[in-house]
Amino acid sequence: MSHDFDAQKAETIAAITDIAEKNDLPDMADLDFFFLPVGENAHWPALADALTKQGYICEFIEDEEDEPPYLVATIEDQPVTATAIWISEEVATRTALEHGFKPDGWGFSAD
């Protein structure tokens, strides 16, 4: 199964455009990307190691009630623009796909 990066990019641009129309966005924020394991090839430590080498901070979330475990990859102090979010999302997604994970959205937090 191949991943549709064009659809993912369009969804990201539409989401941040919608958020920006309804809210004042910070200039900079920490970007969080969420990844779910897919099948037997999902290897948490290998994905975390690969993303960490690319500048992401990784956290495994396994204790959410009624939710599957997932990985959060955060890249700190990034511009809150569609282009910046997409670039970071695409890099993290390509790495995640190589390690048996699929993207499951993004978010951001600012101080």
Side-chain angles (χ1 to χ4, degrees), residues 53-111:
K53 288 177 181 173
Q54 295 173 335
Y56 296 83
I57 299 167
C58 296
E59 179 180 4
F60 301 107
I61 309 296
E62 298 182 282
D63 59 354
E64 297 288 323
E65 202 171 302
D66 298 325
E67 295 291 327
Y70 60 97
L71 181 136
V72 180
T74 301
I75 191 153
E76 298 180 313
D77 299 323
Q78 299 297 304
V80 181
T81 66
T83 299
I85 293 168
W86 172 244
I87 289 169
S88 295
E89 182 180 17
E90 182 181 22
V91 168
T93 297
R94 288 187 185 282
T95 302
L97 291 170
E98 291 172 4
H99 290 87
F101 289 77
K102 67 178 183 177
D104 191 44
W106 57 268
F108 63 87
S109 57
D111 294 334

